[in-house]
Amino acid sequence: MFYEAQTTNVISIATNPFLNIAILLSYPSEINSQYQGSGYGDRNILSSLAVAAADRSNNQAWTIIGIPAEASLNGFLSLHVNFLNTYEEVQINKDLLALVFGMSVAELYPFRFFQEITATQTIDSSGFIDQVVYRQKIMNDLSPYISSHYFDDNKDFDLVLPYQDTANPTPLPITEALTIYAVMFYLSSLVRYRPDYLEALLSTISAWLIESFVNSTPETFLRIMICKIIGIDYIFRRR
């Protein structure tokens, strides 16, 4: 029910009773570096950039999106046909992009950039871009693989890559909150029913990842759930 409420998709424990905890741990943003450092693979939540570039002489505006290049996007791009119909990958002079995004060239270096194929008329009579329309369009274009970015670190949204494993070959949309909930539920079950297995885990390299997850994600989960309950996305400073 929680999954359906968050994604509008339905999963059945009768047909897909298993989720891979090691893969779910690739989603919580607070432990991205620990996940990669432990050798499990690439993260699946990508803190991304978005900006509306305007040509006021023609009363046109279009969206440019920056997605971290470190993770493979091939699966996402082949899956998300609507995105490919709306955006194309572009090579834009980084000095120009730095002006558009208000960031340094060094900060933009790790990103791949995608631009709307067709400009959208979102400039009002005063010459300003309609921010509500602009933001809603990004949400629609990337749904259901987009999530709010809840932290004040110069990123605009999170691209959440679909979940997929051998037991679930059909890609599933998922959220950071769902993965935190599922992993914490699993770990709490180990504490109660299989403490011997958990003790064995704590003597492996997984211990660093588990400890980081338990220490850092509860506050993130509470922040996300508060925003969802009150219907307002607040941006937090991490410290």
Side-chain angles (χ1 to χ4, degrees):
M1 291 172 64
F2 183 28
Y3 178 84
E4 184 178 354
Q6 293 297 293
T7 66
T8 70
N9 277 36
V10 178
I11 56 174
S12 169
I13 60 172
T15 57
N16 294 297
F18 301 106
L19 293 173
N20 187 304
I21 295 298
I23 295 176
L24 290 180
L25 282 166
S26 66
Y27 289 92
S29 56
E30 295 282 4
I31 59 168
N32 281 163
S33 59
Q34 293 92 328
Y35 187 83
Q36 293 172 301
S38 298
Y40 281 99
D42 294 325
R43 56 181 174 151
N44 276 318
I45 186 166
L46 307 175
S47 298
S48 303
L49 306 171
V51 70
D55 179 0
R56 290 186 168 81
S57 63
N58 293 316
N59 196 38
Q60 291 182 328
W62 58 93
T63 304
I64 301 174
I65 290 173
I67 301 175
E70 66 195 60
S72 173
L73 297 177
N74 293 335
F76 166 75
L77 294 176
S78 62
L79 174 69
H80 206 312
V81 177
N82 184 50
F83 182 81
L84 287 177
N85 288 338
T86 308
Y87 294 86
E88 61 181 351
E89 187 165 8
V90 292
Q91 302 295 329
I92 304 177
N93 181 282
K94 291 293 193 299
D95 291 320
L96 178 59
L97 281 175
L99 293 175
V100 173
F101 279 95
M103 299 169 65
S104 69
V105 172
E107 289 176 302
L108 296 177
Y109 183 78
F111 292 87
R112 293 169 63 179
F113 291 92
F114 298 82
Q115 181 175 297
E116 272 190 286
I117 298 171
T118 304
T120 307
Q121 301 282 345
T122 54
I123 300 180
D124 63 22
S125 57
S126 302
F128 292 99
I129 296 169
D130 188 330
Q131 294 295 321
V132 174
V133 173
Y134 155 64
R135 292 176 185 277
Q136 188 59 52
K137 186 177 189 315
I138 294 175
M139 296 293 290
N140 293 340
D141 289 342
L142 295 179
S143 177
Y145 305 111
I146 186 172
S147 175
S148 297
H149 188 73
Y150 294 96
F151 298 101
D152 181 19
D153 54 8
N154 215 17
K155 303 298 188 298
D156 298 303
F157 68 92
D158 288 333
L159 181 65
V160 187
L161 301 183
Y163 173 92
Q164 191 173 15
D165 63 20
T166 54
N168 298 275
T170 302
L172 300 172
I174 203 160
T175 68
E176 183 176 11
L178 281 166
T179 59
I180 294 173
Y181 180 89
V183 174
M184 193 65 78
F185 181 86
Y186 173 73
L187 292 176
S188 66
S189 298
L190 290 184
V191 170
R192 184 171 184 177
Y193 300 111
R194 290 292 307 277
D196 56 325
Y197 180 70
L198 182 60
E199 283 293 324
L201 280 179
L202 296 181
S203 63
T204 69
I205 194 171
S206 301
W208 177 41
L209 187 59
I210 292 171
E211 182 180 2
S212 298
F213 174 86
V214 172
N215 287 336
S216 63
T217 60
E219 186 175 346
T220 299
F221 182 81
L222 287 173
R223 287 171 168 175
I224 293 173
M225 293 309 296
I226 288 170
C227 291
K228 292 184 180 299
I229 289 169
I230 65 176
I232 300 173
D233 286 337
Y234 284 98
I235 307 301
F236 301 94
R237 287 195 171 91
R238 290 185 186 271
R239 297 288 181 265

